[in-house]
Amino acid sequence: MWKLEEKPFTRPISPLVENVEQIVYFPTDKEENSNGIVSIGWRGPHISQLKELLALDILFSYLAESSISPLHEHFIDKKSYCNKISYQVQEYRETYVAISFANTQLEHLDKIKTELFDILASIVSGRQELSMNRVNSIIKMKMNELSDKFEDAPHDTISKICIGDFLYGNESDKFEFRARFAQLNIFESIKNESNAAYWIHLIDKYFLKSHSVTIIAKPCEKLMKAIGEEDKQRVEERKRNLGKKGLKDLKTAVENAIDENDVS
C-alpha cells in the first residue's frame, strides 16, 4: 500500500527573527486619486493552543471590529487615516494573526504602524483602559455565533474542524481533536479569565514582544503603464506567431464553442 513519507504541511517554518517592512506597488491609472493599504502580521500560537487562538480572535474583535473599538475610534473616527480595518486569525501549523487598514490616505501610510503600536502599548501600560464588559460581551457573541454555525450549517462547520485537524493537528493527541468539537467549553474557560491582566498579557506577548511583518501597498501609475505596454507587446507577438491562418482557425473554434454552449 502506497504511503506518504511525510505528512503534508508539517515541515517546520523558520522563526521570524526580526521585524520586516516592505513596500509593494500595485497598478493604478491615477495615483493622486488612489489610496493604499497597510497590513501588519505576527506569528501566533501553535495550532494546538486553541484557547489562545480563540482569545486572539476575541482580542482583535475588541480592538478593531466595532465603531467603539480603540482602533476604529483612532484611525477612522479621530484621524480619518483609512475607512476600513479588518483582521485575520489564520490556523495553519504555525498560525499567524494580521490586521489591515484599507483605503489609507497616501500621506498617512507611514504613520499607521507607529500609532498602532502606541495604542497597544498604552493598553498594556494601563494608560488606556481595557473594558472587561466589552470583552465579556464579545465572548458571549462569539459563543452564540458558534452555536448558530453548528445549528445552521453543521456540515460546513464539522468538515472544517475535521480538515483542519487532519492537515495540522497532532495525530497522536486525540484530546486535541475532541477539543476542537468542544469550543464552547474553551470559550467558557476564556470567560473565566475575568481579570484584564490575561488580555494585557496576550497583547504584550504576541504584539509588542514579538517580531512583525509590515506590508505597505502603494499605488503606482508607472506600473500600470508598464503592464499595459507589456500586454500590448504580448498580444502583438502572439498574433505574429499565429499568423492569419492561425487567427482564423482560433476564431472559428471560438464561434463553434459559443454555438455549442448556447442554451438560449
Side-chain angles (χ1 to χ4, degrees), residues 3-17:
K3 186 178 180 180
L4 284 173
E5 294 183 1
E6 182 181 36
K7 184 180 177 181
F9 310 112
T10 57
R11 292 182 180 178
I13 301 174
S14 301
L16 188 62
V17 296

Side-chain angles (χ1 to χ4, degrees), residues 164-175:
D165 183 79
F166 172 78
L167 291 175
Y168 313 116
N170 184 353
E171 292 179 345
S172 61
D173 188 354
K174 301 305 179 185
F175 174 79

Side-chain angles (χ1 to χ4, degrees), residues 31-50:
E31 288 183 18
E32 65 272 15
N33 294 329
S34 299
N35 292 324
I37 301 172
V38 179
S39 292
I40 304 171
W42 301 262
R43 289 281 178 86
H46 190 271
I47 187 67
S48 63
Q49 296 175 270
L50 297 177

Side-chain angles (χ1 to χ4, degrees), residues 34 45 55 75 86 97 106 112 127 136 140-141 143 150 174 177-178 198 201 211 257:
S34 299
F75 290 104
S86 58
V97 295
L106 300 184
I112 295 289
R127 288 182 287 114
N136 289 327
K140 184 177 180 180
M141 179 190 70
M143 294 175 72
F150 273 108
K174 301 305 179 185
F177 180 66
R178 294 190 189 100
Y198 174 78
H201 170 72
H211 296 297

